[in-house]
Amino acid sequence: MNYNFSNRMSNIKGSAIREIFKYAADPSVISLAGGNPAPELFPNEELSVIAEEMLREKPVLSLQYGITEGYTPLRDKVKQRLKRIENIGTDDDELIIISGGQQGIELSIKVLVNEGDTVIVEEPSFIGATNAFRSYGVHLAGVPVEEDGMNIDALEKVIKENKNVRIIYTIPTFQNPMGVTMSVEKRKKLYETAKKNGIIILEDNPYGELTFDGTKVPTIKSMDTDGIVIYAGSFSKILSPGLRIGYLCANKNLIQKIVIAKQVSDVHTSMLPQLLAYEYMERYDLDGAVVKMRENYSHKCSTMLNAVGEYFPKDVLYTKPNGGLFMWCDLGHNLDTMEISKKAIEQKVVYVPGNTFMTDMNKPCSTLRLNYSTMTDERIVEGIRRLGKVFCNL
């Protein structure tokens, strides 16, 4: 049978990252493509104790329906932590627990953007977000990202050139895919530009706590005195991605509408994962666990950077992250990293081609994203050596 798909989904391509995972399933393949946290950092022992206790002693709470806004003790705990570590949360703000940060992006678009409206994204940007925007029939407008974040002059030009700009989507801290961090000055300018033009900022911050040296840049939401910033956070990178626990913090009026949209999507986030997240924070030292993550990823990033310096062609440009999970490379010379990825697969190593993160995914580009969080030191070095062999023979 020939199926007639909806207009909103007919032109959406699957994530190239997910396709690459098919190759990465081969144990002989070294994957520098994913965005997964290091599995050795999962608190599986602690969570197994909590899960057993919850199912034995609180089965109805664990297995029954919950309220759409989220488990109240967890919401309160997240509010307290957000205020403490990010200075986020005013009397005009509210918070909702969501099924991972991705749902926060989708719900924000659902309640704020009409088909044909413009959403501004960083160029490059997170494919999960850009595909969510595409699925609602929006016009995507890209703004180049520099070493210190979004080019604000280019942003103002893009706003003038496009109609009905509703949202500016940004990952200002340890950006996916580039790994760069927006400066404080640019964050302030971005906020003022959005405010002046009546545009909502969707600030996505899944990596913000993974700063290698402990230094943190103020979030844009912490500057929000006008209720124009939706802040999306997640436990995926600091606790477990499989729990699918995230949260949105925004003006009460926005959250009220988002609650209704979430009721349509999935009624509420699963109760057992919410209880696991809450009880873990109650009983254990999440801040201490984050410190160990920072040390782990800092070491792995240094390992990758040293290997890139040794094995890649000397004219390859690459970012030097201060946190997060990713680095970004530009081979230059008008090379097409999508085509080159086929040669890399032959050498049993995979990465994500840069066109995946662009507003025009069909346009060849010379960039690629590398991930250092999941592999051991030995496999990071060997993976970079294999890629270097490919790149040096182009």
Side-chain angles (χ1 to χ4, degrees), residues 67 69-82 94-98 235 239 243-247 269-282 286:
I67 63 172
E69 290 85 348
Y71 181 50
T72 299
L74 176 60
R75 289 171 63 217
D76 291 342
K77 180 71 73 175
V78 174
K79 288 177 185 178
Q80 293 166 9
R81 193 166 190 273
L82 265 184
E94 190 48 88
L95 184 140
I96 180 175
I97 301 298
I98 51 178
F235 286 94
L239 188 57
L243 293 180
R244 306 310 302 137
I245 299 294
Y247 50 89
T269 299
S270 297
M271 283 301 299
L272 183 57
Q274 290 192 73
L275 292 170
L276 291 175
Y278 170 73
E279 293 292 338
Y280 181 87
M281 287 192 288
E282 275 284 283
L286 179 57

Side-chain angles (χ1 to χ4, degrees), residues 86 172-173 182-184 187-188 203 216-223:
E86 302 289 5
T173 306
M182 187 183 295
S183 66
V184 175
R187 291 174 192 233
K188 292 178 179 178
E203 179 180 13
K216 300 188 74 175
V217 182
T219 62
I220 302 170
K221 180 60 180 172
S222 68
M223 309 172 186

Side-chain angles (χ1 to χ4, degrees), residues 152-310:
I152 303 300
D153 291 336
L155 170 64
E156 293 179 345
K157 186 172 183 288
V158 168
I159 291 172
K160 291 178 181 177
E161 291 176 347
N162 289 274
K163 297 180 180 180
N164 300 328
V165 178
R166 303 300 300 272
I167 286 179
I168 300 170
Y169 172 74
T170 177
I171 309 173
T173 306
F174 314 132
Q175 196 247 16
N176 181 5
M178 292 185 68
V180 300
T181 296
M182 187 183 295
S183 66
V184 175
E185 180 183 5
K186 282 193 171 182
R187 291 174 192 233
K188 292 178 179 178
K189 288 182 177 179
L190 171 58
Y191 182 83
E192 291 302 321
T193 300
K195 177 181 175 181
K196 178 178 64 177
N197 290 279
I199 302 170
I200 296 293
I201 297 171
L202 177 52
E203 179 180 13
D204 194 4
N205 192 28
Y207 316 104
E209 293 197 55
L210 303 180
T211 165
F212 296 157
D213 62 4
T215 302
K216 300 188 74 175
V217 182
T219 62
I220 302 170
K221 180 60 180 172
S222 68
M223 309 172 186
D224 184 18
T225 57
D226 302 275
I228 64 169
V229 181
I230 302 174
Y231 181 88
S234 173
F235 286 94
S236 290
K237 302 303 187 290
I238 62 170
L239 188 57
S240 160
L243 293 180
R244 306 310 302 137
I245 299 294
Y247 50 89
L248 287 180
C249 181
N251 180 271
K252 293 177 180 178
N253 294 328
L254 273 172
I255 293 296
Q256 186 177 33
K257 187 62 70 173
I258 287 170
V259 168
I260 297 171
K262 181 172 170 61
Q263 289 171 353
V264 174
S265 293
D266 65 356
V267 184
H268 66 86
T269 299
S270 297
M271 283 301 299
L272 183 57
Q274 290 192 73
L275 292 170
L276 291 175
Y278 170 73
E279 293 292 338
Y280 181 87
M281 287 192 288
E282 275 284 283
R283 305 180 190 190
Y284 303 102
D285 182 9
L286 179 57
D287 291 350
V290 170
V291 170
K292 293 180 181 179
M293 293 174 196
R294 292 171 178 171
E295 295 170 351
N296 182 292
Y297 296 144
S298 176
H299 172 77
K300 288 184 176 182
C301 182
S302 294
T303 299
M304 178 172 281
L305 287 171
N306 290 336
V308 166
E310 180 175 356

Side-chain angles (χ1 to χ4, degrees), residues 358-372:
M358 303 300 179
T359 53
D360 182 358
M361 297 173 65
N362 296 315
K363 184 179 179 180
C365 69
S366 59
T367 55
L368 62 130
R369 190 191 76 177
L370 297 174
N371 166 262
Y372 45 77

Side-chain angles (χ1 to χ4, degrees), residues 111-124:
V111 303
L112 288 170
V113 180
N114 294 314
E115 186 173 347
D117 287 344
T118 298
V119 172
I120 294 176
V121 299
E122 294 163 328
E123 186 92 275

